Amino acid sequence: MTTPSRGGAAGPPPPMHPQVHAPMPPPPESAPWLRIPVGTPGPEFEARPPGQYAYDYPDTECDGWSTPDLTLRFASVRGAKHRYYRQPRQDAARAAAHEPTGAIVFAVADGVSSAASSELGAVEACRAALERLLHLLSRGPERVDLQDVAHHAAQRLRQITRWRLNGKDPEPGEVAALHATTLIAGTVRPDRDGCLVELFRIGDSGAWTLDAGRARYAPLFATKTGSDAVVVSNEVAPLPRVPDPLEQISVRLTEHQTLLVGTDGFADPLGDGDGQVGALFAGQLAAPPPPLWFAHLLDFSRETFDDDRTLLAVWPRTAVRPR
């Protein structure tokens, strides 16, 4: 029996020989990535799964990439308390590159624990903020209307609440009860004078510039540990409320500075930045680390600090390159 061939003489197919693969070498032995202790570490245990319908909120997320002018890393890790009590991570972060301007747009959110589905509120607020930032940059890149971005994110929370209530127009209290979240979002844009950072916040997340060479953190918003703070308050006024005026800031990033944006799960142990947590991150973020290591670093172990942690960092590429 012969096998028909196209455009040539019929002939038997070439014999088939099973491929023989050389045995794979064993993976190199290396020490496992144990959590980095900072001071007195917290208890170690295997994380427990969140509820069965929380599969959209993995224990840890991280991302990292570079544009010609900027390098980005972000990570969001579930805190020890949520890992133990089988609750999903309520922090979220998202970032994107706006190619026409070379900008990076970003959003970081911290779902309010008292809200029933704050993890969804945090993710949707970040998504809505990025959608609007990208749209506004494309329409007119001179200056982004951050108030518009904040209202767009608040409107998204109302939309998902209306869906949850089977089409009923929700009251502000109903939106907050289901999806309240903090939000900090903005842009980093390279221009002839360097890098322009514009951002706003609703709630108590934080932002800093880090001069790693001097291990110096400069907060861009008022902090809980400010020198004039007599009592530390954990009260927040989150989305869907949009304050007027909106708390926003514009600052230039020098080639020796890194922009940091984080939830209070990072901000609280960082404090003023002059302790062990500040020293750890100043040393590790002198240059952009690999994304997985960035996430591992953020998952450090320190007694009493068991909240979710999210941190986003942007480096200008004129002074440093990814290692």
Side-chain angles (χ1 to χ4, degrees):
M1 178 178 177
T2 59
T3 301
S5 64
R6 183 174 299 171
M16 300 294 291
H17 299 288
Q19 291 185 326
V20 178
H21 297 281
M24 293 291 290
E29 293 186 3
S30 60
W33 282 12
L34 301 177
R35 296 180 74 198
I36 300 171
V38 180
T40 303
E44 288 295 329
F45 59 92
E46 180 68 10
R48 306 172 72 196
Q52 61 184 342
Y53 295 111
Y55 47 79
D56 272 341
Y57 313 100
D59 181 273
T60 299
E61 286 184 308
C62 67
D63 199 3
W65 36 261
S66 292
T67 68
D69 299 295
L70 302 166
T71 291
L72 170 115
R73 301 285 187 266
F74 80 70
S76 183
V77 301
R78 190 161 55 129
K81 182 178 179 180
H82 288 163
R83 284 171 174 166
Y84 184 82
Y85 287 107
R86 301 197 57 187
Q87 295 172 321
R89 177 171 47 88
Q90 296 170 339
D91 278 8
R94 294 290 184 272
H98 183 257
E99 296 180 3
T101 61
I104 288 179
V105 301
F106 60 85
V108 169
D110 180 357
V112 176
S113 297
S114 59
S117 299
S118 63
E119 64 276 8
L120 176 59
V123 169
E124 289 299 324
C126 287
R127 286 176 176 162
L130 254 64
E131 290 169 2
R132 197 62 178 172
L133 285 165
L134 292 170
H135 171 76
L136 294 176
L137 274 176
S138 295
R139 196 171 67 177
E142 293 78 16
R143 188 170 183 81
V144 174
D145 184 350
L146 297 180
Q147 191 92 25
D148 180 299
V149 176
H151 281 289
H152 188 76
Q155 179 62 21
R156 178 65 59 82
L157 297 191
R158 284 189 283 273
Q159 291 171 346
I160 61 174
T161 304
R162 185 181 299 116
W163 171 81
R164 184 79 171 267
L165 299 179
N166 297 317
K168 172 183 175 295
D169 282 334
E171 299 292 334
E174 293 175 306
V175 180
L178 284 173
H179 300 120
T181 182
T182 72
L183 178 64
I184 184 167
T187 67
V188 185
R189 284 188 282 176
D191 60 21
R192 66 180 64 182
D193 298 319
C195 293
L196 177 63
V197 179
E198 296 174 290
L199 72 168
F200 72 90
R201 78 165 176 178
I202 297 173
D204 61 353
S205 293
W208 308 259
T209 56
L210 167 63
D211 185 335
R214 295 188 296 169
R216 180 181 177 186
Y217 297 81
L220 301 182
F221 296 107
T223 66
K224 298 176 184 176
T225 55
S227 58
D228 57 347
V230 177
V231 178
V232 175
S233 173
N234 288 319
E235 292 185 2
V236 297
L239 282 175
R241 178 176 176 270
V242 177
D244 186 14
L246 185 68
E247 191 176 11
Q248 54 186 302
I249 195 166
S250 175
V251 64
R252 286 209 167 270
L253 200 63
T254 72
E255 63 181 17
H256 302 293
Q257 292 177 324
T258 304
L259 172 68
L260 301 180
V261 180
T263 60
D264 60 354
F266 171 76
D268 289 348
L270 176 69
D272 294 330
D274 56 359
Q276 292 176 301
V277 172
L280 172 66
F281 280 84
Q284 293 289 324
L285 302 186
L292 290 177
W293 182 255
F294 187 86
H296 178 69
L297 182 68
L298 186 62
D299 195 20
F300 63 88
S301 179
R302 184 167 173 79
E303 188 180 41
T304 74
F305 293 103
D306 57 3
D307 199 1
D308 298 339
R309 296 184 192 135
T310 297
L311 181 64
L312 179 144
V314 179
W315 290 260
R317 299 192 71 196
T318 51
V320 295
R321 298 287 179 183
R323 61 186 184 212

